[in-house]
Each structure stands twice: as structure tokens, then as C-alpha cells.
Amino acid sequence: MSIKFGTDGWRAVISDTFTFANLRLVAQAMADYVREENSDDPSVVIGFDTRFLSDRYAADVARVMAANGIHTWLA
């Protein structure tokens, strides 16, 4: 299953192609980029909104970031 991006971000249907497994793949790619750009003291802030499962998705991204040694704040 491929992950597709458009002009407004990730294009997917929740629980079809926007899954927790795919989210973790994207989060890992983001973590790799953050570490590349700031290897000394990387940090991120992760927020979420009221959409379905948004809080759980944000928590999963935070876990991936933290597992990569990135200081992570979950708003």
C-alpha cells in the first residue's frame, strides 16, 4: 500500500490507507529528517485536533519521536 501526498499533505482515508502502521512509517521518516537537521539536541512539538483518533495518532507519533532520542512535547 502506497502513501500519497498532495498539495495539502497526506491524502488518505482513515483506517484504509491512513493506518497506525503507515503513520509510524511517516513518523520515522520525519524523525530521520529532524535528527539530520539537528543532531545535537533535536526536539519537536506534536499537536492534534478534534478529528477522529487524532489524539491517538499524535501519541503514536510522539512515541516514534521519543524512541529516536528526540525531545518530544505532546500538546
Side-chain angles (χ1 to χ4, degrees):
M1 164 175 3
S2 64
I3 297 172
K4 297 178 183 172
F5 291 88
T7 56
D8 197 27
W10 186 353
R11 303 276 185 188
V13 175
I14 292 176
S15 296
D16 180 22
T17 53
F18 195 107
T19 62
F20 284 99
N22 280 345
L23 177 74
R24 286 188 288 274
L25 289 173
V26 171
Q28 183 59 55
M30 292 167 47
D32 293 344
Y33 177 79
V34 168
R35 294 216 35 98
E36 252 180 50
E37 292 298 308
N38 186 0
S39 59
D40 293 337
D41 191 26
S43 62
V44 295
V45 176
I46 300 168
F48 57 94
D49 57 24
T50 60
R51 285 178 275 192
F52 180 68
L53 293 176
S54 182
D55 58 335
R56 290 189 50 208
Y57 291 134
D60 242 26
V61 172
R63 282 186 203 94
V64 171
M65 295 295 164
N68 278 273
I70 298 169
H71 298 281
T72 306
W73 290 269
L74 181 58

